[in-house]
Amino acid sequence: MIEQWRILRLAFFLSAAVFFCHDVFAQCCSQSCSLTSGAGAGLLENRHLEITAFYKHSYSENYYSGRKKYKFENAPLTLDNSFYDYGGISLGYGFTKNLTFEVQGGYFGNKTQNYENGAWIVGNGFSDMGATLKCNIYRSKDSVLSVTMQAGGKFPTGSYNDYTPEGVRLSHDVQSGTGAYSVSGGFLCSIKIKKKQSVTLSSVFEYCGINPEEYQSGYSNVNLVSTGIKLLKGLSLIVMFKNENYASDYYYDLKQFSTGYSRLSALPGIAFEFGNEWSLNAMYEQPLFRYFNGIQFVQQYGVTVSLSKKLELKKKKHVENDSQKQG
Amino acid sequence: MKKVLLLSALFLLLIFAGCKKEGSYFPQSENSAIVPPPVDTTSAFSFTKLEIFPDVIEVGDYADVYATATGKNLTYTWYIGHGDLFGSGNHIQVGAAPCCVGGHQIKCTVSDGVHSEVRYVWIEIKNHD
């Protein structure tokens, strides 16, 4: 029973890690960083609250056109590198063992673009907030298979029209929000392939609305496959592959040629569980294959670190009830 | 729960303690042929001209935009719907990122605290050859 519980916990971590790997820079996508663990794929146990603080650093340094690197000739203002530091908090609550609700929000400490000629642009601020409802629709009696559906949305709480202190409007790429609502839906499936190993599959579609400046990010589909290997007591190795497909953006109903891409990335990571329901996780994101429409400045790598704590609410009441029963 | 939230906030505060503040910078070329127009602070408020050089650029290039205005304590606010702006005051640069191929309007608002006037210029960004 304890062994089965441990396997479930690992599966739950994997299924939750799925969300925390979505690209934050492409903001119009669900970026939940919850590392929910509990009652099913991506779900928390009944009346359990999970608080996760996370940090992500992403770094880019090359232009790509199609599958190949692109080098500008005689262009005085091209990017040398760009990066962002994003941190946030995710709260998840298990209403029942089959229904979990999550909200996420964060802050871009900086979104920086450095140019070859020494020019730079920096933006920062609160990101858009996201909310996701997850519902388990199937769980096999032997706990081999668990399927969870999810639906969510993002709210334009971040700034999409920020200016520098000197009164110059910051570019779209360094704004902390999108200014648009978005809706998403998908599924998450956890399959136990061995006694101590599970594979988690997920697919999430997202549709973004048009912001007040008539900009619309392309719709997206993000698919993940992941598994975990237990190394030591409380320490696990996470192996994950992510496929992202982003359609082109539109500005005033005009398709933006250099937007939209497909990418396959590997995300190795470690998960360390300690103390009373604490968990520390770190993941590295390395693109393996990519195809970009037009010419785009693309992510080189990403690193994510998160710290989470799970709390059982109304625990005291249960204890009181139990002692009353015993009495 | 308070302890967990406090710890989470501390975790994030530590991360962002050294982050750069919002802004932009563009190094001024010593060989620049165009000198920004001097601001006449003795005349009454007037926003006379908004110019761009050149008005057609390729991806990876940039254009200079100059605002000519008179009056005291002038402030300049610059806006572009989709594109990169650098600098501040009466002279800025607009960059041509690959994302922004097409025509764009640049809006400049000049104010002296009492009066305010708006002018526009147009820039065309072409694909890099």
Side-chain angles (χ1 to χ4, degrees):
Chain A
M1 185 66 189
I2 291 169
E3 196 55 48
Q4 203 174 32
W5 172 241
R6 279 181 184 161
I7 293 161
L8 277 172
R9 277 182 66 95
L10 189 57
F12 303 145
F13 162 72
L14 289 171
S15 51
V18 153
F19 299 98
F20 121 89
C21 300
H22 288 195
D23 195 342
V24 183
F25 210 91
Q27 288 201 7
C28 234
C29 64
S30 174
Q31 64 191 23
S32 164
C33 289
S34 170
L35 302 170
T36 50
S37 55
L43 295 170
L44 281 166
E45 290 166 78
N46 185 22
R47 291 184 177 181
H48 273 65
L49 175 75
E50 189 168 68
I51 302 168
T52 304
F54 59 90
Y55 161 73
K56 181 169 182 177
H57 175 78
S58 174
Y59 182 82
S60 311
E61 66 174 5
N62 288 306
Y63 284 99
Y64 269 74
S65 179
R67 293 177 190 180
K68 293 178 180 172
K69 278 186 189 174
Y70 185 88
K71 187 77 184 165
F72 280 97
E73 300 290 338
N74 301 319
L77 193 68
T78 52
L79 280 164
D80 181 36
N81 63 67
S82 78
F83 57 89
Y84 67 83
D85 293 289
Y86 177 75
I89 288 178
S90 168
L91 298 173
Y93 181 70
F95 284 104
T96 70
K97 67 173 185 174
N98 291 326
L99 192 69
T100 291
F101 181 68
E102 288 178 5
V103 286
Q104 310 93 36
Y107 184 83
F108 282 97
N110 70 67
K111 276 180 131 179
T112 302
Q113 293 190 328
N114 292 313
Y115 292 80
E116 297 276 6
N117 71 341
W120 51 260
I121 307 177
V122 176
N124 50 40
F126 288 97
S127 70
D128 293 344
M129 283 187 75
T132 312
L133 192 65
K134 296 175 189 173
C135 182
N136 187 271
I137 56 165
Y138 177 75
R139 185 184 294 117
S140 64
K141 285 178 182 174
D142 53 4
S143 298
V144 168
L145 179 66
S146 174
V147 181
T148 297
M149 298 300 289
Q150 73 163 70
K154 292 191 88 180
F155 310 94
T157 50
S159 174
Y160 65 93
N161 192 21
D162 235 357
Y163 284 72
T164 67
E166 291 82 27
V168 179
R169 206 243 182 180
L170 290 166
S171 69
H172 173 80
D173 288 341
V174 300
Q175 297 284 347
S176 63
T178 61
Y181 288 90
S182 74
V183 288
S184 64
F187 75 89
L188 212 140
C189 176
S190 178
I191 308 157
K192 195 164 86 177
I193 53 167
K194 283 182 187 173
K195 197 180 175 185
K196 291 185 179 181
Q197 196 171 17
S198 292
V199 170
T200 301
L201 312 166
S202 88
S203 185
V204 176
F205 288 85
E206 180 148 32
Y207 176 81
C208 305
I210 303 169
N211 82 1
E213 296 193 310
E214 296 291 325
Y215 195 90
Q216 183 179 29
S217 298
Y219 59 85
S220 66
N221 165 234
V222 179
N223 307 299
L224 290 117
V225 182
S226 59
T227 190
I229 300 152
K230 196 168 179 179
L231 300 174
L232 299 165
K233 192 187 173 189
L235 186 69
S236 302
L237 174 72
I238 308 300
V239 181
M240 188 181 290
F241 291 94
K242 176 168 71 166
N243 163 241
E244 301 160 277
N245 304 289
Y246 283 84
S248 295
D249 299 352
Y250 280 80
Y251 183 52
Y252 280 100
D253 286 335
L254 288 171
K255 188 175 177 178
Q256 300 299 291
F257 181 64
S258 290
T259 58
Y261 64 91
S262 291
R263 182 166 58 186
L264 176 70
S265 308
L267 295 101
I270 51 163
F272 178 57
E273 292 179 343
F274 61 97
N276 186 18
E277 305 277 11
W278 284 90
S279 178
L280 181 67
N281 311 284
M283 294 193 90
Y284 179 81
E285 184 172 353
Q286 178 65 52
L288 300 174
F289 166 84
R290 38 200 164 186
Y291 181 88
F292 293 88
N293 298 331
I295 304 166
Q296 296 184 48
F297 203 65
V298 308
Q299 186 195 34
Q300 207 66 24
Y301 67 85
V303 180
T304 311
V305 181
S306 72
L307 179 69
S308 64
K309 164 75 176 166
K310 198 166 73 173
L311 301 154
E312 187 181 352
L313 301 184
K314 299 191 177 178
K315 200 174 181 178
K316 282 179 183 172
K317 206 173 178 180
H318 289 304
V319 173
E320 282 167 16
N321 290 342
D322 290 346
S323 56
Q324 278 172 6
K325 279 175 191 173
Q326 282 172 6
Chain B
M1 191 163 106
K2 275 182 188 171
K3 208 192 283 179
V4 180
L5 283 169
L6 275 171
L7 200 68
S8 303
L10 188 68
F11 175 79
L12 298 175
L13 270 174
L14 281 172
I15 286 163
F16 295 131
C19 283
K20 215 173 185 177
K21 291 274 182 268
E22 208 163 63
S24 76
Y25 168 76
F26 196 90
Q28 295 304 316
S29 168
E30 288 173 8
N31 304 320
S32 179
I34 307 159
V35 180
V39 180
D40 177 2
T41 56
T42 56
S43 304
F45 174 80
S46 173
F47 184 4
T48 51
K49 253 191 317 190
L50 185 64
E51 298 168 290
I52 183 163
F53 305 103
D55 58 1
V56 180
I57 54 173
E58 279 187 1
V59 167
D61 207 345
Y62 67 92
D64 289 279
V65 192
Y66 300 94
T68 309
T70 58
K72 286 179 185 172
N73 305 319
L74 298 179
T75 57
Y76 300 81
T77 308
W78 298 89
Y79 173 88
I80 189 166
H82 193 34
D84 299 337
L85 299 179
F86 304 85
S88 61
N90 65 343
H91 173 209
I92 63 153
Q93 288 79 25
V94 53
C99 64
C100 309
V101 170
H104 300 278
Q105 196 176 51
I106 298 159
K107 178 184 171 187
C108 177
T109 308
V110 181
S111 172
D112 66 354
V114 180
H115 312 91
S116 176
E117 211 173 310
V118 178
R119 282 184 180 268
Y120 301 89
V121 285
W122 188 260
I123 187 167
E124 183 74 27
I125 297 172
K126 289 182 163 184
N127 270 318
H128 188 73
D129 286 333

